[in-house]
Amino acid sequence: HAWYRAHGRHHLPWRQTADPYAIWISEVMLQQTQVETVLSRFYAPFLARFPTLRALAEAPREDVLKAWQGLGYYS
């Protein structure tokens, strides 16, 4: 705990929320690309477009794939 309090990346948006959906989205994105890429290009726009799990589930597949494009998932 002491190391994390001193050195953890507390500024990351998914560490400043208790929203399980937003945290889950960050975890999946971070599996394939770097933190800076997720922050600069994907996380905020994706959550703005699909702010809830329901919004994501109800969105057209093409819209989701377009928003996800470039994260490193190619199959």
Side-chain angles (χ1 to χ4, degrees), residues 36-56:
E36 291 308 317
T37 302
V38 170
L39 283 173
S40 66
R41 295 180 44 208
F42 293 100
Y43 186 73
F46 192 89
L47 288 178
R49 174 65 181 89
F50 312 105
T52 64
L53 185 56
R54 179 175 294 261
L56 178 63

Side-chain angles (χ1 to χ4, degrees), residues 29-30 32-33 37-38 42 46 67-74:
M29 287 181 173
L30 290 167
Q32 287 300 113
T33 196
T37 302
V38 170
F42 293 100
F46 192 89
W68 205 259
Q69 185 177 345
L71 274 165
Y73 294 92
Y74 299 107

